């Protein structure tokens, strides 16, 4: 199943994209061709990185300290921006190829999606479900720890929401122009990639602080795990290893 999903990721992503904007046939073909090249690089360049990180976690997850976890988190975070940067040659020309009607449709649908706010309880329930996917059933103490963490980082989430709204406004303003200069294309790419190197200092500082808070939660939670929960997490990592093997074996 995972091999099939990975092999057909281009179509799956296209279907998701067309929830936001209706593309022409030629635009679909350009997107699929570009995405295929991106996926070939993903399989060759990024999947080995995932396997390396997973091996590190499998070997050391019970003993890694705050500094070690932070270093790993920065590697993962940096890779994400590299991946989006790699996608730039696919995404930016596609955006520029949209006519004014398509651009308005895209921005309107993104705004609608960004405006969907879940309640505090819904968000906490989603967080608890993600932890239980990896650890099995949580006890009352563990649920309380995760809920407190959610409330403690609420400010950082609001800052991120405002930052993304500002990014979208900048993208919208650029897409209102029929022709973009080379400098404007580079500016559009920066807003899409949202690299830490291009962030205001206070935004980057708050992002780092949010990560530090998350690591504090993970270390505190780790000390409360039962034998069964530790075993469940080991199984969870093995499942991820299996999925990566399926992705690696997929003939793209």
């Amino acid at each position: 199943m995972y091999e099939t999903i990975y092999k057909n990721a281009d179509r799956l992503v296209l279907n998701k994209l067309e929830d936001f904007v209706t593309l022409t046939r030629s635009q679909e073909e350009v997107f699929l061709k570009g995405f295929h090249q991106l996926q070939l690089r993903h399989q060759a360049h990024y999947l080995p990185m995932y396997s390396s990180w997973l091996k590190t976690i499998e070997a050391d997850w019970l003993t890694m300290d705050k500094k070690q976890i932070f270093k790993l988190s920065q590697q993962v975070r940096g890779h994400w921006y590299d991946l989006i940067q790699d996608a730039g040659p696919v995404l930016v020309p596609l955006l520029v190829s949209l006519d004014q009607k398509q651009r308005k449709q895209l921005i309107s649908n993104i705004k609608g999606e960004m405006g969907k706010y879940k309640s505090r309880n819904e968000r906490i329930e989603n967080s608890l479900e993600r932890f239980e996917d990896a650890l099995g059933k949580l006890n009352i103490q563990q649920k309380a720890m995760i809920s407190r963490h959610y409330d403690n980082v609420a400010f950082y989430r609001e800052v991120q929401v405002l930052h993304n709204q500002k990014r979208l406004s900048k993208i919208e303003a650029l897409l209102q122009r029929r022709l973009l200069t080379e400098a404007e294309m580079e500016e559009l790419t920066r807003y899409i990639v949202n690299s830490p190197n291009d962030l205001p200092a206070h935004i980057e500082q708050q992002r780092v602080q949010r990560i530090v808070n998350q690591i504090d939660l993970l270390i505190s939670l780790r000390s409360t795990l039962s034998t069964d929960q530790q075993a469940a997490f080991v199984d969870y990592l093995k499942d991820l290893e299996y999925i990566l093997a399926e992705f690696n074996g997929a003939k793209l």
Side-chain angles (χ1 to χ4, degrees):
M1 180 185 71
Y2 291 112
E3 180 185 5
T4 301
I5 289 173
Y6 192 68
K7 286 170 66 174
N8 292 283
D10 53 352
R11 291 286 176 181
L12 295 173
V13 173
L14 178 61
N15 289 344
K16 184 63 178 177
L17 177 60
E18 294 203 294
D19 287 342
F20 291 85
V21 59
T22 304
L23 301 177
T24 65
R25 181 63 60 85
S26 61
Q27 287 169 335
E28 289 179 354
E29 291 174 353
V30 169
F31 173 81
L32 290 172
K33 182 178 179 180
F35 190 93
H36 180 69
Q37 294 304 312
L38 177 63
Q39 193 170 11
L40 289 173
R41 173 162 169 75
H42 183 265
Q43 188 180 55
H45 179 69
Y46 291 104
L47 288 188
M49 295 167 59
Y50 303 163
S51 296
S52 174
W53 295 334
L54 186 56
K55 285 183 174 62
T56 297
I57 296 172
E58 286 175 328
D60 302 326
W61 74 273
L62 272 172
T63 58
M64 292 176 76
D65 61 23
K66 187 172 181 175
K67 184 177 180 180
Q68 291 170 317
I69 298 174
F70 182 79
K71 180 180 179 181
L72 181 59
S73 76
Q74 292 302 94
Q75 292 175 4
V76 174
R77 183 176 176 227
H79 123 275
W80 173 247
Y81 294 111
D82 289 344
L83 180 57
I84 301 176
Q85 184 80 57
D86 287 345
V90 180
L91 294 175
V92 176
L94 178 64
L95 283 178
V96 174
S97 77
L98 301 178
D99 61 30
Q100 287 301 313
K101 182 179 178 180
Q102 290 173 310
R103 295 179 187 189
K104 289 179 180 178
Q105 180 191 25
L106 174 65
I107 296 297
S108 175
N109 285 331
I110 292 176
K111 286 180 178 178
E113 193 66 25
M114 289 175 68
K116 294 178 182 177
Y117 291 105
K118 294 181 180 179
S119 69
R120 171 187 176 276
N121 289 341
E122 287 176 317
R123 289 181 178 275
I124 289 177
E125 283 299 317
N126 288 342
S127 295
L128 294 175
E129 286 177 10
R130 288 195 295 272
F131 275 100
E132 290 192 327
D133 284 343
L135 301 173
K137 188 171 179 58
L138 300 170
N139 61 39
I140 294 175
Q141 176 196 6
Q142 291 165 338
K143 289 181 179 181
M145 291 169 64
I146 295 168
S147 298
R148 282 196 303 272
H149 168 76
Y150 178 87
D151 290 331
N152 289 339
V153 299
F155 168 75
Y156 301 118
R157 281 195 303 275
E158 291 304 315
V159 170
Q160 185 62 40
V161 168
L162 292 174
H163 175 65
N164 285 336
Q165 289 173 345
K166 183 177 180 180
R167 284 174 59 209
L168 184 60
S169 295
K170 296 288 188 179
I171 292 171
E172 181 179 15
L174 287 167
L175 291 181
Q176 286 175 351
R177 304 172 190 180
R178 291 191 177 277
L179 295 174
L180 297 180
T181 65
E182 184 176 339
E184 289 169 338
M185 290 281 283
E186 291 177 358
E187 184 181 4
L188 180 61
T189 301
R190 286 198 302 273
Y191 286 124
I192 292 171
V193 175
N194 198 34
S195 168
N197 296 330
D198 298 321
L199 290 175
H202 72 282
I203 295 289
E204 175 61 11
Q205 185 178 23
Q206 288 165 352
R207 284 190 175 187
V208 169
Q209 186 57 51
R210 184 178 180 183
I211 292 170
V212 169
N213 289 346
Q214 290 171 334
I215 293 171
D216 287 339
L217 169 66
L218 294 177
I219 291 176
S220 298
L221 194 61
R222 183 176 62 186
S223 67
T224 71
L225 297 182
S226 67
T227 301
D228 287 343
Q229 287 174 324
Q230 291 184 25
F233 186 62
V234 170
D235 288 340
Y236 178 76
L237 295 178
K238 289 179 180 177
D239 287 342
L240 293 180
E241 192 173 11
Y242 168 76
I243 293 170
L244 281 177
E246 290 287 291
F247 287 178
N248 270 309
K251 305 241 187 291
L252 301 179

